[in-house]
Amino acid sequence: MKQLWCALSLVAGGLLFTSNASADTVSSGALLQQMNQASQSLNYELAFINISKQGIESLSYRHARLDNRPLAQFLQMDGPRREVVQRGNEISYFEPGLEPFTLTGDYIVDSLPSIVYTDFKRLTPYYDFISVGRTRIADRLCEVIRVVARDGTRYNYIVWIDTETKLPLRVDLLDRDGETLEQFRVVSFSVGDQASGLMQNLAKATLPPLLSVPGAEKAKFSWAPSWLPQGFNEVSSSRRPLPTVGVPIESRLYSDGLFSFSVNISQAPSQGTNGEQLVRTGRRTVSTEIRDKTEITVVGELPPQTAKRIGDSIKFNGAAQ
């Protein structure tokens, strides 16, 4: 009888573990979605550093919602003053040595890590969200979650989320070997009406005029990759002339909702020969191959092996798409 009880206990324990593991994935995904919502709905101010192979940057970011529209300010704290301002869906850039200009967009790309703005429900079929416990960042208790691609073809994230506000306080981008490529780390932050008050003047400020961006020529291409990592879909395509050269370049842009890359096809330089080049700088990889007098370039947030595999899979002379 005792042996039967032990056996039943082990089975029940195994079922409980499976259920908890499944619930953990769901709860971690829900927590990441809460981070997304908090980052875009709360009034707050962050002082943080970005660490990469290129060095360390000290930055600040303020965010508020006034009259149900976002207001944000991103500021480089050291060196020449670089500022980006968001008001609604208009984002204005103030760069040293350049005339200020405004573009349309949903958020300031250079501010918080792109994972913060991700729809995690879309990622569920292709990524695992793994809770790895709690720790302290900026003297705040945080939940720590790993975001791992199931097919192993792209980078991974570790995210530290403040348990109270659900704001991201640290984000590490890791390559497939576990090496840190980039790190976002909050040093101090505040949440509440103070941040909102600081943004009042921004709501009334005169910003640079909206920059008119010429539209790209829409065209059907006779090439396409025959292999893509799971979850990636084409989001746009275009044909543009290369500056100073006049040779057209055909491009397809792909995204899985977290990472993105483009495939670019153009005529190879006349002095070029068949060959390939693979370069990674931080998160960005450039894979170039010359095949049959055609230059194939894959550029984006991918490990080098994945970028090369996509380039190698390009098929020509198929039906135009």
Side-chain angles (χ1 to χ4, degrees):
M1 185 69 181
K2 184 176 181 181
Q3 290 178 335
L4 177 60
W5 173 252
C6 290
L8 290 174
S9 298
L10 286 172
V11 171
L15 292 174
L16 180 61
F17 175 80
T18 302
S19 175
N20 284 345
S22 176
D24 176 71
T25 298
V26 173
S27 62
S28 296
L31 187 57
L32 288 164
Q33 198 69 25
Q34 291 174 26
M35 174 189 69
N36 172 294
Q37 295 167 358
S39 300
Q40 300 181 68
S41 63
L42 295 180
N43 300 331
Y44 60 91
E45 180 176 4
L46 305 177
F48 62 96
I49 56 174
N50 276 340
I51 305 172
S52 66
K53 300 295 184 182
Q54 286 69 49
I56 302 176
E57 293 182 297
S58 298
L59 307 154
S60 71
Y61 179 70
R62 293 173 178 165
H63 179 275
R65 291 196 72 90
L66 294 176
D67 299 326
N68 202 31
R69 66 171 180 169
L71 293 172
Q73 179 192 44
F74 169 75
L75 185 64
Q76 182 173 298
M77 302 300 290
D78 299 329
R81 183 182 177 88
R82 177 172 174 262
E83 182 180 8
V84 186
V85 169
Q86 177 182 8
R87 189 165 64 188
N89 66 345
E90 295 187 349
I91 301 176
S92 301
Y93 295 81
F94 301 86
E95 304 270 359
L98 296 176
E99 285 293 323
F101 62 93
T102 299
L103 297 173
T104 58
D106 296 325
Y107 58 89
I108 299 174
V109 174
D110 295 334
S111 56
L112 305 182
S114 58
I115 190 174
V116 172
Y117 301 100
T118 296
D119 179 1
F120 292 95
K121 295 177 182 177
R122 175 182 170 184
L123 299 187
T124 301
Y126 315 109
Y127 288 83
D128 287 321
F129 310 131
I130 305 167
S131 175
V132 293
R134 290 184 169 187
T135 189
R136 287 173 60 253
I137 295 290
D139 199 26
R140 303 282 294 192
L141 184 62
C142 294
E143 297 278 359
V144 186
I145 299 174
R146 292 182 62 92
V147 179
V148 181
R150 292 178 181 174
D151 64 2
T153 60
R154 60 211 97 173
Y155 300 131
N156 303 316
Y157 275 103
I158 305 180
V159 184
W160 286 254
I161 302 174
D162 180 43
T163 56
E164 181 181 345
T165 65
K166 303 302 185 287
L167 289 173
L169 297 189
R170 176 176 167 182
V171 178
D172 286 10
L173 176 68
L174 310 178
D175 68 11
R176 296 196 300 179
D177 297 324
E179 179 184 354
T180 302
L181 299 175
E182 296 176 3
Q183 183 182 103
F184 159 92
R185 182 191 286 261
V186 170
V187 178
S188 65
F189 78 109
S190 60
V191 178
D193 294 336
Q194 179 181 359
S196 176
L198 293 170
M199 304 297 282
Q200 291 284 350
N201 291 334
L202 178 60
K204 304 174 184 178
T206 301
L207 298 179
L210 190 65
L211 189 65
S212 177
V213 179
E217 175 190 348
K218 294 184 178 180
K220 294 185 177 181
F221 304 147
S222 60
W223 60 269
S226 58
W227 177 84
L228 293 172
Q230 295 177 5
F232 276 92
N233 295 296
E234 182 177 324
V235 295
S236 66
S237 62
S238 65
R239 178 186 286 125
R240 301 175 184 270
L242 283 172
T244 72
V245 178
V247 177
I249 181 169
E250 297 179 347
S251 299
R252 296 182 189 267
L253 178 64
Y254 297 88
S255 176
D256 69 347
L258 181 56
F259 298 108
S260 62
F261 67 90
S262 65
V263 181
N264 308 281
I265 304 293
S266 62
Q267 181 181 337
S270 56
Q271 70 275 19
T273 58
N274 286 2
E276 59 184 47
Q277 186 176 14
L278 197 60
V279 178
R280 188 183 79 178
T281 304
R283 70 166 60 208
R284 190 170 300 277
T285 292
V286 179
S287 174
T288 303
E289 174 187 350
I290 296 178
R291 192 196 314 165
D292 298 327
K293 298 182 180 179
T294 300
E295 186 170 271
I296 304 168
T297 304
V298 179
V299 182
E301 304 163 323
L302 295 171
Q305 304 93 320
T306 303
K308 184 179 185 306
R309 183 176 176 184
I310 294 169
D312 290 343
S313 78
I314 298 296
K315 302 297 183 183
F316 292 91
N317 301 322
Q321 299 183 30

